[in-house]
């Protein structure tokens, strides 16, 4: 099945948007598409490619952009390691990212056909960082990075230079990136899981390697970040990629009213949650959430529950349905009045922006980091995988707006120490909190009418329109 809408006018520059089907990747690119449509002032029209199982993510976007954005729905391609009907990484085991990257390349032929048959074919494509093969569609390809600029710097270094351990088998060996500003360094076990899985000579992994190398060879790069937090890394990317076509357009936040309907099922109505927060003192609530993919182990759930209970703090804890059975018996009764446990999903941006929320215990996914930055909330960091370690280091060591709590997908915090940090996050940490508020003002200024990210967005639109006019 292919759904094509014919609303593209010849006098507009047509752009194709292709998100990667993982919530943390898809949502910021769709929000960026909304900003493109609104800011484009009628000079561009946009097609967003999704598979049938993810079409629902477009509903609000399509209804709010008055025909400037249209869907292209292509069947999800079959793949031996992906069960039929699974179209989102969150439904797959941890290896699902690489399988999904590999599977989606099979959309190359139908997408080429759609481009060649369209009466007003796109002049450019903006596609996710995991979709490097779209560089070979015959369009100017702009990479969209939902990750930080420093992560882009690190990925370029990894996949172009292919560094290895001097002591094979030693996962604690430190890998230092001396060519990147601040010379970031990480133990091997914190380096990209996808990179560590690379097997030289295996066609599957050679494709994965080429995916990231194609990012470096693409026409331009759009990053969900802003100059006040990553200016040094943005400048490095321009030097590293040997062009100035790098646009920092973040923080990309949901349009007003869009945050409340973008998640999944929840056990607590949104108005109930907001009413509960309204009754709390300013800055005295800790928001606890580990993103759309992380599932805490039973030991982690019990340690976290114990730490929350001992801390005496007010909190909202969002926990995935699959981990709910491991919550200690009687916990919710014992914290009645000061704690809410939400099974499933919560409107994170709205919660973080509530005056009662003063701290955020987070896995440090980049979307969560930017949402916390924009909200001026202190971050308590517990990175689990991938670029989350990089994000946590940026938050704590460079920006000074966070405090380390734990790190690692298998680590279990000491509940007494956790309780101490949680309690202190609402009563102390004044320097970090002041920096968080200052950084929030910078983030909101960046996306204001005359802010750096708005200017970058305008420059990107101007560049894309010029490509369309040159056709």
């Amino acid at each position: 099945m292919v759904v094509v809408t014919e609303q593209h006018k010849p006098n507009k520059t047509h752009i194709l948007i292709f998100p990667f089907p993982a919530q943390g990747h898809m949502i910021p690119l769709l929000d960026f598409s909304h900003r493109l449509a609104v800011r484009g002032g009628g000079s561009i029209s946009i097609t967003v490619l999704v598979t049938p199982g993810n079409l629902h993510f477009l509903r609000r976007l399509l209804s709010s952009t008055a025909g400037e954005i249209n869907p292209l729905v292509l069947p999800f391609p079959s793949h031996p390691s992906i069960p039929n009907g699974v179209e989102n990484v969150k439904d797959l085991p941890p290896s699902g990212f690489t399988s999904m990257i590999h599977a989606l390349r099979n959309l190359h032929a139908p997408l080429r056909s759609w481009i060649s048959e369209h009466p007003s074919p796109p002049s450019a494509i903006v596609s996710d960082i995991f979709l490097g093969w779209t560089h070979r569609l015959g369009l100017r390809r702009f990479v969209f990075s939902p990750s930080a600029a420093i992560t882009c710097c690190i990925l370029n270094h990894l996949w172009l230079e292919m560094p290895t351990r001097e002591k094979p088998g030693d996962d604690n060996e430190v890998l230092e990136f001396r060519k990147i500003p601040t010379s970031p360094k990480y133990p091997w076990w914190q380096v990209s899981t996808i990179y560590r899985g690379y097997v030289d000579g295996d066609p599957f992994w050679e494709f994965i390697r080429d995916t990231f190398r194609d990012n470096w060879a693409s026409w331009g790069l759009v990053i969900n970040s802003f100059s006040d937090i990553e200016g040094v890394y943005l400048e490095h990317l321009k030097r590293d990629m040997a062009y100035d076509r790098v646009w920092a357009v973040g923080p990309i936040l949901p349009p007003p009213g869009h945050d409340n309907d973008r998640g999944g099922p929840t056990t607590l109505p949104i108005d109930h949650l907001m009413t509960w927060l309204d009754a709390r003192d300013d800055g005295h609530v800790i928001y606890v959430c580990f993103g759309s993919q992380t599932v805490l182990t039973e030991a982690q759930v019990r340690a976290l529950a114990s730490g929350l209970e001992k801390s005496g703090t007010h909190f909202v804890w969002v926990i995935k349905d699959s981990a709910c059975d491991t919550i200690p018996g009687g916990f919710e009764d014992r914290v009645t009045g000061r704690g809410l446990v939400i099974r499933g999903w919560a409107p994170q941006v709205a919660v973080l922006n509530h005056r009662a929320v003063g701290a955020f215990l987070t896995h440090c996914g980049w979307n969560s980091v930017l949402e916390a930055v924009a909200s001026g909330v202190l971050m308590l960091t517990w990175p689990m995988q991938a670029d989350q370690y990089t994000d946590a280091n940026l938050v704590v060591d460079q920006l000074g707006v966070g405090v380390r709590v734990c790190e690692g997908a298998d680590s279990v915090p000491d509940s007494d120490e956790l309780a101490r940090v949680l309690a202190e996050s609402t009563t102390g940490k004044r320097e970090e909190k002041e920096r968080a508020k200052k950084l929030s003002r910078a983030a909101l200024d960046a996306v204001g009418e005359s802010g750096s990210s708005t200017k970058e967005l305008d420059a990107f639109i101007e560049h894309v329109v010029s490509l369309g006019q040159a056709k």
Side-chain angles (χ1 to χ4, degrees), residues 153-174:
C153 296
I154 289 171
L155 288 175
N156 279 354
H157 181 94
L158 287 174
W159 292 101
L160 292 173
E161 301 198 14
M162 306 295 289
T164 58
R165 286 179 286 185
E166 294 181 1
K167 302 175 183 177
D170 181 4
D171 284 348
N172 289 314
E173 181 179 342
V174 174

Side-chain angles (χ1 to χ4, degrees), residues 134-207:
T134 56
H135 168 59
R136 305 173 187 277
L137 285 169
L139 303 173
R140 297 285 195 192
R141 188 244 175 165
F142 298 88
V143 184
F144 179 82
S145 174
S147 300
I150 185 176
T151 298
C152 293
C153 296
I154 289 171
L155 288 175
N156 279 354
H157 181 94
L158 287 174
W159 292 101
L160 292 173
E161 301 198 14
M162 306 295 289
T164 58
R165 286 179 286 185
E166 294 181 1
K167 302 175 183 177
D170 181 4
D171 284 348
N172 289 314
E173 181 179 342
V174 174
L175 183 60
E176 185 171 1
F177 299 85
R178 294 186 179 90
K179 295 181 180 180
I180 299 173
T182 72
S183 299
K185 55 186 178 182
Y186 308 93
W188 184 256
W189 64 272
Q190 290 186 359
V191 174
S192 163
T193 306
I194 296 177
Y195 181 77
R196 286 188 284 121
Y198 175 78
V199 180
D200 188 25
D202 184 316
F204 175 93
W205 284 104
E206 295 303 313
F207 169 78

Side-chain angles (χ1 to χ4, degrees), residues 304-313 315 330-331 334-335 338 419:
L304 180 51
S306 179
L308 287 167
E309 186 172 350
K310 293 174 181 177
S311 71
T313 59
F315 64 88
F331 168 75
R334 293 192 296 273
V335 297
R338 67 176 179 88

Side-chain angles (χ1 to χ4, degrees), residues 23-243:
Q23 195 161 312
H25 288 242
M26 179 172 289
I27 286 176
L29 185 45
L30 294 184
D31 287 343
F32 174 70
S33 301
H34 183 273
R35 290 184 63 188
L36 272 182
V38 172
R39 197 75 187 176
S43 61
I44 58 176
S45 63
I46 298 168
T47 295
V48 178
L49 191 162
V50 293
T51 52
N54 288 304
L55 181 58
H56 66 281
F57 280 104
L58 291 183
R59 288 173 186 160
R60 177 66 73 91
L61 184 63
L62 298 177
S63 65
S64 65
T65 52
E68 299 295 344
I69 297 180
N70 300 284
L72 166 63
V73 185
L74 295 178
F76 186 84
S78 61
H79 190 272
S81 64
I82 299 178
N84 289 336
V86 174
E87 299 185 35
N88 197 299
V89 173
K90 71 178 183 179
D91 299 320
L92 293 173
S95 60
F97 261 102
T98 50
S99 297
M100 191 74 77
I101 292 170
H102 198 253
L104 287 169
R105 70 171 179 168
N106 292 321
L107 290 180
H108 184 275
L111 192 49
R112 283 296 295 264
S113 297
W114 177 82
I115 293 169
S116 63
E117 295 169 5
H118 199 284
S120 180
S123 55
I125 180 172
V126 181
S127 59
D128 187 88
I129 198 168
F130 286 159
L131 300 171
W133 58 267
T134 56
H135 168 59
R136 305 173 187 277
L137 285 169
L139 303 173
R140 297 285 195 192
R141 188 244 175 165
F142 298 88
V143 184
F144 179 82
S145 174
S147 300
I150 185 176
T151 298
C152 293
C153 296
I154 289 171
L155 288 175
N156 279 354
H157 181 94
L158 287 174
W159 292 101
L160 292 173
E161 301 198 14
M162 306 295 289
T164 58
R165 286 179 286 185
E166 294 181 1
K167 302 175 183 177
D170 181 4
D171 284 348
N172 289 314
E173 181 179 342
V174 174
L175 183 60
E176 185 171 1
F177 299 85
R178 294 186 179 90
K179 295 181 180 180
I180 299 173
T182 72
S183 299
K185 55 186 178 182
Y186 308 93
W188 184 256
W189 64 272
Q190 290 186 359
V191 174
S192 163
T193 306
I194 296 177
Y195 181 77
R196 286 188 284 121
Y198 175 78
V199 180
D200 188 25
D202 184 316
F204 175 93
W205 284 104
E206 295 303 313
F207 169 78
I208 299 298
R209 180 201 64 189
D210 292 345
T211 288
F212 288 96
R213 291 185 173 183
D214 280 339
N215 291 331
W216 185 82
S218 293
W219 182 252
L221 175 62
V222 179
I223 303 180
N224 186 15
S225 189
F226 61 106
S227 58
D228 277 4
I229 59 171
E230 291 205 283
V232 65
Y233 302 115
L234 292 165
E235 291 305 313
H236 174 79
L237 282 170
K238 293 176 182 179
R239 294 191 298 271
D240 193 36
M241 303 181 86
Y243 57 60

Side-chain angles (χ1 to χ4, degrees), residues 19 137 153 268 282 284 288 440:
L137 285 169
C153 296
L268 191 69
D282 290 3
H284 276 63
V288 181
S440 171

Side-chain angles (χ1 to χ4, degrees), residues 272-280 285 316 351 354-357:
H272 184 161
L273 169 60
M274 292 302 163
T275 299
W276 189 89
L277 288 171
D278 288 343
R280 267 66 207 171
V285 175
V316 173
V351 171
H354 196 284
R355 57 161 183 78
V357 175

